[in-house]
Amino acid sequence: MTIRAALLLAQGFEDAEAIMTLDILNRLGIEVDTISCETSTQLKSYHHVTVVAKRQIDACLDEFYDAIILPGGPEGTQRLAACSHALNWIAAHDHQQKIVAALCSAPARVLGGNQLLKGRHYVCSGDLWQHCTDGSAKNRCSALLGTRPCAGRQSTVERPSLCVFWRFVAALH
């Protein structure tokens, strides 16, 4: 059985959180589709690196992945938080108890800012938790949406990426 993950990208996504997660999950045998939440598949990261996403979100709305991954980035998370297609798609995955993994600022900005945490624990960067009225901020990798997701801000992105992988393994066994 192939495990599939969707990496949602918007202009200004955080480079390392997206690219390292993509690399690690691919190396672990997880099929990762990069999905643009913009009108173009060509996106610029927080550090102005141009990336071409595999698909646009409009083409994916009727599909379910095993997981959705939301990288951080100040502009990227603001744009994801304002994308109704992305928010509805995330909510649908949550309803199906799929993994929703949000990194850095994404838990507070994208999920909490749109009442998608539903009181669940989350980890985020900086003081964004102070502006989030949905969910409960924690200081470690913790459950987010569905029954098996993971999100967090660590000193490196490897820990959340591997956390997502191990949640996949646990979910499939």
Side-chain angles (χ1 to χ4, degrees), residues 13-43:
F13 66 87
E14 211 298 322
D15 309 62
E17 292 167 7
I19 302 304
M20 290 176 67
T21 299
L22 173 69
D23 180 55
I24 290 168
L25 294 179
N26 276 327
R27 289 173 189 255
L28 294 170
I30 295 171
E31 180 184 314
V32 182
D33 285 346
T34 50
I35 298 176
S36 171
C37 294
E38 305 287 349
T39 57
S40 171
T41 56
Q42 186 169 320
L43 304 156

mmCIF file of all heavy atoms in Angstrom, residues 13-43:
data_model
loop_
_atom_site.group_PDB
_atom_site.id
_atom_site.type_symbol
_atom_site.label_atom_id
_atom_site.label_comp_id
_atom_site.label_asym_id
_atom_site.label_seq_id
_atom_site.Cartn_x
_atom_site.Cartn_y
_atom_site.Cartn_z
ATOM 1 N N PHE A 13 6.191 30.218 1.615
ATOM 2 C CA PHE A 13 6.343 29.063 2.513
ATOM 3 C C PHE A 13 7.779 29.000 3.029
ATOM 4 O O PHE A 13 8.702 29.484 2.386
ATOM 5 C CB PHE A 13 5.969 27.759 1.798
ATOM 6 C CG PHE A 13 6.889 27.380 0.677
ATOM 7 C CD1 PHE A 13 8.040 26.631 0.907
ATOM 8 C CD2 PHE A 13 6.612 27.777 -0.623
ATOM 9 C CE1 PHE A 13 8.896 26.288 -0.127
ATOM 10 C CE2 PHE A 13 7.453 27.438 -1.666
ATOM 11 C CZ PHE A 13 8.600 26.697 -1.418
ATOM 12 N N GLU A 14 7.967 28.411 4.200
ATOM 13 C CA GLU A 14 9.303 28.307 4.797
ATOM 14 C C GLU A 14 10.078 27.204 4.083
ATOM 15 O O GLU A 14 9.652 26.052 4.072
ATOM 16 C CB GLU A 14 9.191 28.017 6.290
ATOM 17 C CG GLU A 14 10.297 28.568 7.148
ATOM 18 C CD GLU A 14 11.698 28.037 6.840
ATOM 19 O OE1 GLU A 14 11.854 26.843 6.524
ATOM 20 O OE2 GLU A 14 12.640 28.834 6.926
ATOM 21 N N ASP A 15 11.193 27.569 3.501
ATOM 22 C CA ASP A 15 12.001 26.679 2.662
ATOM 23 C C ASP A 15 12.327 25.347 3.325
ATOM 24 O O ASP A 15 12.012 24.282 2.793
ATOM 25 C CB ASP A 15 13.335 27.356 2.291
ATOM 26 C CG ASP A 15 13.170 28.739 1.732
ATOM 27 O OD1 ASP A 15 12.653 29.610 2.458
ATOM 28 O OD2 ASP A 15 13.573 28.964 0.581
ATOM 29 N N ALA A 16 13.004 25.406 4.449
ATOM 30 C CA ALA A 16 13.489 24.179 5.101
ATOM 31 C C ALA A 16 12.343 23.286 5.540
ATOM 32 O O ALA A 16 12.402 22.068 5.371
ATOM 33 C CB ALA A 16 14.376 24.518 6.291
ATOM 34 N N GLU A 17 11.290 23.875 6.081
ATOM 35 C CA GLU A 17 10.169 23.068 6.559
ATOM 36 C C GLU A 17 9.487 22.320 5.413
ATOM 37 O O GLU A 17 9.016 21.203 5.605
ATOM 38 C CB GLU A 17 9.170 23.957 7.302
ATOM 39 C CG GLU A 17 9.734 24.488 8.593
ATOM 40 C CD GLU A 17 8.932 25.604 9.198
ATOM 41 O OE1 GLU A 17 7.834 25.922 8.706
ATOM 42 O OE2 GLU A 17 9.409 26.172 10.178
ATOM 43 N N ALA A 18 9.461 22.911 4.243
ATOM 44 C CA ALA A 18 8.846 22.247 3.093
ATOM 45 C C ALA A 18 9.816 21.267 2.430
ATOM 46 O O ALA A 18 9.501 20.083 2.266
ATOM 47 C CB ALA A 18 8.362 23.284 2.077
ATOM 48 N N ILE A 19 10.982 21.748 2.066
ATOM 49 C CA ILE A 19 11.907 20.942 1.269
ATOM 50 C C ILE A 19 12.497 19.782 2.080
ATOM 51 O O ILE A 19 12.591 18.657 1.584
ATOM 52 C CB ILE A 19 13.026 21.808 0.667
ATOM 53 C CG1 ILE A 19 12.429 22.934 -0.205
ATOM 54 C CG2 ILE A 19 14.006 20.962 -0.129
ATOM 55 C CD1 ILE A 19 11.507 22.463 -1.307
ATOM 56 N N MET A 20 12.855 20.029 3.325
ATOM 57 C CA MET A 20 13.400 18.939 4.135
ATOM 58 C C MET A 20 12.327 17.889 4.440
ATOM 59 O O MET A 20 12.607 16.691 4.429
ATOM 60 C CB MET A 20 14.025 19.483 5.418
ATOM 61 C CG MET A 20 15.315 20.256 5.145
ATOM 62 S SD MET A 20 16.019 21.020 6.620
ATOM 63 C CE MET A 20 16.499 19.567 7.532
ATOM 64 N N THR A 21 11.113 18.327 4.688
ATOM 65 C CA THR A 21 10.027 17.378 4.927
ATOM 66 C C THR A 21 9.784 16.543 3.679
ATOM 67 O O THR A 21 9.663 15.315 3.755
ATOM 68 C CB THR A 21 8.743 18.123 5.350
ATOM 69 O OG1 THR A 21 8.992 18.824 6.567
ATOM 70 C CG2 THR A 21 7.583 17.168 5.536
ATOM 71 N N LEU A 22 9.733 17.194 2.532
ATOM 72 C CA LEU A 22 9.564 16.492 1.259
ATOM 73 C C LEU A 22 10.679 15.472 1.056
ATOM 74 O O LEU A 22 10.420 14.300 0.744
ATOM 75 C CB LEU A 22 9.561 17.510 0.112
ATOM 76 C CG LEU A 22 9.565 16.961 -1.308
ATOM 77 C CD1 LEU A 22 8.244 16.278 -1.621
ATOM 78 C CD2 LEU A 22 9.829 18.089 -2.291
ATOM 79 N N ASP A 23 11.904 15.874 1.281
ATOM 80 C CA ASP A 23 13.052 14.993 1.094
ATOM 81 C C ASP A 23 13.010 13.795 2.046
ATOM 82 O O ASP A 23 13.141 12.645 1.629
ATOM 83 C CB ASP A 23 14.345 15.785 1.296
ATOM 84 C CG ASP A 23 15.575 14.921 1.121
ATOM 85 O OD1 ASP A 23 15.717 14.272 0.066
ATOM 86 O OD2 ASP A 23 16.403 14.894 2.056
ATOM 87 N N ILE A 24 12.805 14.055 3.314
ATOM 88 C CA ILE A 24 12.800 12.975 4.309
ATOM 89 C C ILE A 24 11.672 11.979 4.043
ATOM 90 O O ILE A 24 11.884 10.773 4.041
ATOM 91 C CB ILE A 24 12.702 13.551 5.736
ATOM 92 C CG1 ILE A 24 14.007 14.270 6.098
ATOM 93 C CG2 ILE A 24 12.389 12.453 6.756
ATOM 94 C CD1 ILE A 24 13.921 15.122 7.350
ATOM 95 N N LEU A 25 10.477 12.484 3.800
ATOM 96 C CA LEU A 25 9.352 11.576 3.570
ATOM 97 C C LEU A 25 9.538 10.777 2.284
ATOM 98 O O LEU A 25 9.218 9.588 2.247
ATOM 99 C CB LEU A 25 8.034 12.342 3.575
ATOM 100 C CG LEU A 25 7.651 12.953 4.929
ATOM 101 C CD1 LEU A 25 6.338 13.709 4.818
ATOM 102 C CD2 LEU A 25 7.597 11.921 6.024
ATOM 103 N N ASN A 26 10.068 11.410 1.234
ATOM 104 C CA ASN A 26 10.357 10.665 0.004
ATOM 105 C C ASN A 26 11.382 9.574 0.256
ATOM 106 O O ASN A 26 11.239 8.444 -0.223
ATOM 107 C CB ASN A 26 10.852 11.603 -1.102
ATOM 108 C CG ASN A 26 9.720 12.258 -1.848
ATOM 109 O OD1 ASN A 26 8.659 11.689 -2.037
ATOM 110 N ND2 ASN A 26 9.952 13.478 -2.288
ATOM 111 N N ARG A 27 12.422 9.867 1.015
ATOM 112 C CA ARG A 27 13.451 8.875 1.325
ATOM 113 C C ARG A 27 12.890 7.718 2.151
ATOM 114 O O ARG A 27 13.407 6.609 2.095
ATOM 115 C CB ARG A 27 14.622 9.517 2.064
ATOM 116 C CG ARG A 27 15.459 10.409 1.180
ATOM 117 C CD ARG A 27 16.495 11.155 2.012
ATOM 118 N NE ARG A 27 17.158 12.157 1.237
ATOM 119 C CZ ARG A 27 18.402 12.041 0.766
ATOM 120 N NH1 ARG A 27 19.087 10.940 0.995
ATOM 121 N NH2 ARG A 27 18.947 13.019 0.081
ATOM 122 N N LEU A 28 11.836 7.988 2.894
ATOM 123 C CA LEU A 28 11.198 6.946 3.700
ATOM 124 C C LEU A 28 10.133 6.185 2.909
ATOM 125 O O LEU A 28 9.437 5.336 3.458
ATOM 126 C CB LEU A 28 10.599 7.559 4.969
ATOM 127 C CG LEU A 28 11.626 8.126 5.951
ATOM 128 C CD1 LEU A 28 10.940 8.929 7.048
ATOM 129 C CD2 LEU A 28 12.462 7.014 6.545
ATOM 130 N N GLY A 29 10.007 6.495 1.629
ATOM 131 C CA GLY A 29 9.079 5.761 0.771
ATOM 132 C C GLY A 29 7.664 6.301 0.739
ATOM 133 O O GLY A 29 6.764 5.639 0.231
ATOM 134 N N ILE A 30 7.466 7.493 1.271
ATOM 135 C CA ILE A 30 6.140 8.111 1.252
ATOM 136 C C ILE A 30 6.039 8.987 0.006
ATOM 137 O O ILE A 30 6.909 9.812 -0.251
ATOM 138 C CB ILE A 30 5.897 8.930 2.534
ATOM 139 C CG1 ILE A 30 5.877 7.982 3.740
ATOM 140 C CG2 ILE A 30 4.604 9.734 2.437
ATOM 141 C CD1 ILE A 30 5.864 8.668 5.074
ATOM 142 N N GLU A 31 4.984 8.790 -0.764
ATOM 143 C CA GLU A 31 4.758 9.583 -1.975
ATOM 144 C C GLU A 31 4.205 10.944 -1.563
ATOM 145 O O GLU A 31 3.125 11.027 -0.961
ATOM 146 C CB GLU A 31 3.759 8.860 -2.874
ATOM 147 C CG GLU A 31 3.433 9.575 -4.154
ATOM 148 C CD GLU A 31 2.364 8.850 -4.949
ATOM 149 O OE1 GLU A 31 2.468 7.614 -5.086
ATOM 150 O OE2 GLU A 31 1.417 9.516 -5.399
ATOM 151 N N VAL A 32 4.931 12.000 -1.870
ATOM 152 C CA VAL A 32 4.530 13.349 -1.474
ATOM 153 C C VAL A 32 4.232 14.170 -2.721
ATOM 154 O O VAL A 32 5.087 14.306 -3.596
ATOM 155 C CB VAL A 32 5.621 14.049 -0.636
ATOM 156 C CG1 VAL A 32 5.152 15.439 -0.204
ATOM 157 C CG2 VAL A 32 6.001 13.212 0.576
ATOM 158 N N ASP A 33 3.023 14.709 -2.800
ATOM 159 C CA ASP A 33 2.659 15.632 -3.869
ATOM 160 C C ASP A 33 2.757 17.051 -3.333
ATOM 161 O O ASP A 33 2.186 17.350 -2.273
ATOM 162 C CB ASP A 33 1.219 15.390 -4.349
ATOM 163 C CG ASP A 33 1.074 14.153 -5.202
ATOM 164 O OD1 ASP A 33 2.099 13.601 -5.653
ATOM 165 O OD2 ASP A 33 -0.079 13.740 -5.425
ATOM 166 N N THR A 34 3.459 17.908 -4.048
ATOM 167 C CA THR A 34 3.487 19.326 -3.703
ATOM 168 C C THR A 34 2.266 19.961 -4.370
ATOM 169 O O THR A 34 2.017 19.761 -5.559
ATOM 170 C CB THR A 34 4.782 19.995 -4.181
ATOM 171 O OG1 THR A 34 4.998 19.674 -5.559
ATOM 172 C CG2 THR A 34 5.973 19.511 -3.355
ATOM 173 N N ILE A 35 1.504 20.698 -3.586
ATOM 174 C CA ILE A 35 0.246 21.262 -4.065
ATOM 175 C C ILE A 35 0.220 22.759 -3.800
ATOM 176 O O ILE A 35 0.381 23.206 -2.662
ATOM 177 C CB ILE A 35 -0.955 20.567 -3.389
ATOM 178 C CG1 ILE A 35 -0.919 19.076 -3.769
ATOM 179 C CG2 ILE A 35 -2.264 21.227 -3.802
ATOM 180 C CD1 ILE A 35 -1.975 18.246 -3.111
ATOM 181 N N SER A 36 0.030 23.515 -4.860
ATOM 182 C CA SER A 36 -0.018 24.969 -4.763
ATOM 183 C C SER A 36 -1.418 25.430 -4.384
ATOM 184 O O SER A 36 -2.414 24.974 -4.947
ATOM 185 C CB SER A 36 0.369 25.598 -6.103
ATOM 186 O OG SER A 36 0.119 26.997 -6.084
ATOM 187 N N CYS A 37 -1.472 26.353 -3.445
ATOM 188 C CA CYS A 37 -2.741 26.967 -3.066
ATOM 189 C C CYS A 37 -2.914 28.313 -3.767
ATOM 190 O O CYS A 37 -3.770 29.107 -3.406
ATOM 191 C CB CYS A 37 -2.798 27.154 -1.554
ATOM 192 S SG CYS A 37 -2.830 25.584 -0.698
ATOM 193 N N GLU A 38 -2.087 28.546 -4.770
ATOM 194 C CA GLU A 38 -2.115 29.796 -5.538
ATOM 195 C C GLU A 38 -2.698 29.522 -6.922
ATOM 196 O O GLU A 38 -2.993 28.381 -7.268
ATOM 197 C CB GLU A 38 -0.692 30.355 -5.668
ATOM 198 C CG GLU A 38 0.046 30.550 -4.346
ATOM 199 C CD GLU A 38 -0.463 31.728 -3.524
ATOM 200 O OE1 GLU A 38 -1.252 32.550 -4.042
ATOM 201 O OE2 GLU A 38 -0.060 31.834 -2.361
ATOM 202 N N THR A 39 -2.807 30.550 -7.746
ATOM 203 C CA THR A 39 -3.327 30.392 -9.106
ATOM 204 C C THR A 39 -2.281 29.813 -10.051
ATOM 205 O O THR A 39 -2.602 29.443 -11.174
ATOM 206 C CB THR A 39 -3.822 31.742 -9.662
ATOM 207 O OG1 THR A 39 -2.749 32.676 -9.613
ATOM 208 C CG2 THR A 39 -5.010 32.253 -8.854
ATOM 209 N N SER A 40 -1.050 29.719 -9.598
ATOM 210 C CA SER A 40 0.043 29.164 -10.398
ATOM 211 C C SER A 40 0.723 28.042 -9.620
ATOM 212 O O SER A 40 0.696 28.029 -8.385
ATOM 213 C CB SER A 40 1.064 30.263 -10.703
ATOM 214 O OG SER A 40 2.223 29.724 -11.289
ATOM 215 N N THR A 41 1.355 27.129 -10.334
ATOM 216 C CA THR A 41 2.143 26.096 -9.653
ATOM 217 C C THR A 41 3.535 26.606 -9.320
ATOM 218 O O THR A 41 4.247 25.983 -8.543
ATOM 219 C CB THR A 41 2.266 24.826 -10.516
ATOM 220 O OG1 THR A 41 2.817 25.174 -11.781
ATOM 221 C CG2 THR A 41 0.914 24.145 -10.685
ATOM 222 N N GLN A 42 3.935 27.727 -9.895
ATOM 223 C CA GLN A 42 5.250 28.302 -9.603
ATOM 224 C C GLN A 42 5.146 29.203 -8.374
ATOM 225 O O GLN A 42 4.354 30.143 -8.353
ATOM 226 C CB GLN A 42 5.771 29.104 -10.795
ATOM 227 C CG GLN A 42 7.192 29.588 -10.589
ATOM 228 C CD GLN A 42 7.789 30.141 -11.864
ATOM 229 O OE1 GLN A 42 7.586 29.590 -12.935
ATOM 230 N NE2 GLN A 42 8.534 31.231 -11.745
ATOM 231 N N LEU A 43 5.943 28.875 -7.367
ATOM 232 C CA LEU A 43 5.882 29.582 -6.080
ATOM 233 C C LEU A 43 7.267 30.044 -5.652
ATOM 234 O O LEU A 43 8.262 29.393 -5.962
ATOM 235 C CB LEU A 43 5.328 28.640 -4.998
ATOM 236 C CG LEU A 43 3.981 28.027 -5.273
ATOM 237 C CD1 LEU A 43 3.812 26.739 -4.499
ATOM 238 C CD2 LEU A 43 2.897 29.003 -4.908
#
